[in-house]
Amino acid sequence: MQTISHDFDAIIIGAGPVGTVLALQLAKQGRRVAVVEARASRPNTDSAAQDPRILALSRLSVDLLQQAGITLPPDQLTAIQQVHVSQAGAFGRTLLSGADIGVSDLGYTIAYHDLDQAVGQALNQAPIHLFQGWRGEKIGNLATYTSLTIQHPEHGQQLLTSKLLIAAEGGSVLQQLPSLHHHVHDYEQSALLCRLALAEGYQHQHIAYERFAEGGPFALLPVGQDMMLVWTRRHAAAEALLNSSPAEFLDALHQICGHKLCFAACVSPPQAIPLRLKLANKLHAGRVVLVGNAAQTLHPVAAQGLNLGLRDADTLLPLLANVRDIGAPALLHRYQRQRQRDRLTITAFTHSLIGLFDHHDPISRLGRGIALSALDMLTPLRQRFTHKLVFGLER
Ligand SMILES: Cc1cc2nc3c(=O)[nH]c(=O)nc-3n(C[C@H](O)[C@H](O)[C@H](O)COP(=O)(O)OP(=O)(O)OC[C@H]3O[C@@H](n4cnc5c(N)ncnc54)[C@H](O)[C@@H]3O)c2cc1C
């Protein structure tokens, strides 16, 4: 049975970090906000359903989360002070450093699980109507308002209406809007995620490593005393590594990770996540607007997905403040225009990294070595590059 339950200023589908920042800030602006989240609850600390991701967040992203009211305890954050970029088996490296842009830390890592818990707590304490365990299903996108049919496994259906509908759910419900679609590129690769304990005598020294090797790039992020590996491999190679013994796994990693690091053990069994690029053709249709993973889902090689999504929220929020009709398509069009440069540049940059480091002939290696060394030596260029990575293209 369907009932009209509520009317809101804004409905947000998806209570991930990006949807939640928007919800909290819109509530602070005095808006009546509904958040619809399909998960019945967030996995607790002991749950096997915990997401294994460790996210590298820029300083700006951490500020945006905290300003919204999401408390990130300092003991859950590990500072990244430098980023070391190199290629295996060839010369050339770049060291990006907070000192280059006058900050002590370029960013921080946090377990997705801890972020998710903090996001949930903030949402529960805010004056927001949270439909937890309800799935957003059918969108109505009309001239003066939007509607969303939501479905609960036990409580049936409800119909919500609002001036503005924000899709922050990863893009799953958008196929219904004829003018919106995603360009999808399947990398035919998986990201192997594994938390690693450093061998005795080794420390990460708050350096994140980005290394491009034959077979796929990998990142090593400092997290607590450990490091998190995000290793991109073709599906078959990833599968073989998953099925290898811990000693074989570490051996394969040591062969390409250079001499600076040595690992004693996998803290948790490796897990594989398939990788795709998904880029929406535009950021709004009528009164429906896309943010975060609904707007773009990136390869994790450059650790930019959530950073970009939070900048979506940061651009949208001031446009919605103090306006009579927060879903006015002209406003959403301005948001789309303002986001274009940052999102397309970062998406193209991330995508091109995969191809750029995919050729292993001597000429390509030499070219990359020269480029990495040049970036390392040309201080103003390196400073600008670091600033853009930390603060986005619009600041
Ligand atoms: C391996 C890996 C490593 C990564 N590392 C980094 C990194 O280091 N730095 C970085 O910035 N980014 C990184 N990312 C990207 C980052 O995880 C995402 O960009 C980010 O989580 C997106 O946040 P979001 O709020 O847009 O969406 P999500 O976090 O995906 O949240 C979407 C929410 O919507 C809900 N939902 C979905 N469908 C519906 C529906 N129909 N109705 C209601 N609710 C729904 C889901 O349950 C979920 O809670 C990484 C990604 C991967 C896969």
Side-chain angles (χ1 to χ4, degrees), residues 21 56-67 72 106 108 115 303-304 306-311 389-391:
V21 162
L57 298 183
S58 68
R59 285 176 70 95
L60 175 66
S61 294
V62 171
D63 287 349
L64 295 175
L65 290 161
Q66 312 246 46
Q67 282 159 16
L72 304 176
L106 288 170
Y108 304 88
L115 175 61
Q304 288 300 312
L306 182 53
N307 291 312
L308 206 50
L310 290 169
R311 297 204 292 271
L389 273 190
V390 173
F391 296 106

Side-chain angles (χ1 to χ4, degrees), residues 349-360:
F349 166 70
T350 301
H351 185 65
S352 65
L353 279 182
I354 315 299
L356 183 66
F357 286 87
D358 216 16
H359 302 284
H360 300 284

Side-chain angles (χ1 to χ4, degrees), residues 13-19 36-39 53-57 112 134-137 168-170 172-173 191 193 221 230 273 275 291-294 298 300 303-308:
I13 318 176
V18 179
V36 180
E37 170 53 52
R39 287 180 291 165
R53 265 175 285 179
I54 299 288
L55 303 181
L57 298 183
Y112 184 88
W134 292 78
R135 171 166 287 280
E137 294 208 322
E169 34 55 79
S172 57
V173 294
L193 308 184
L221 303 172
V230 183
I273 297 182
L275 298 175
V291 292
N293 266 19
L298 308 188
Q304 288 300 312
L306 182 53
N307 291 312
L308 206 50

Side-chain angles (χ1 to χ4, degrees), residues 120-194:
Q121 269 166 25
L123 206 47
N124 285 331
Q125 287 161 11
I128 289 168
H129 202 125
L130 175 60
F131 292 89
Q132 185 86 47
W134 292 78
R135 171 166 287 280
E137 294 208 322
K138 192 163 180 302
I139 294 175
N141 189 12
L142 304 166
T144 51
Y145 71 97
T146 69
S147 66
L148 179 70
T149 309
I150 61 173
Q151 177 83 40
H152 191 281
E154 285 148 29
H155 306 309
Q157 277 189 348
Q158 291 197 23
L159 184 72
L160 312 182
T161 56
S162 66
K163 289 281 178 206
L164 170 67
L165 183 67
I166 301 178
E169 34 55 79
S172 57
V173 294
L174 293 176
Q175 287 93 342
Q176 340 169 7
L177 296 172
S179 67
L180 283 177
H181 62 267
H182 287 100
H183 303 288
V184 180
H185 176 79
D186 188 340
Y187 289 106
E188 296 177 359
Q189 293 175 332
S190 298
L192 275 176
L193 308 184
C194 182

Side-chain angles (χ1 to χ4, degrees), residues 290-319:
L290 316 190
V291 292
N293 266 19
Q296 62 275 318
T297 304
L298 308 188
H299 193 294
V301 66
Q304 288 300 312
L306 182 53
N307 291 312
L308 206 50
L310 290 169
R311 297 204 292 271
D312 291 343
D314 190 40
T315 302
L316 183 58
L317 281 163
L319 292 171

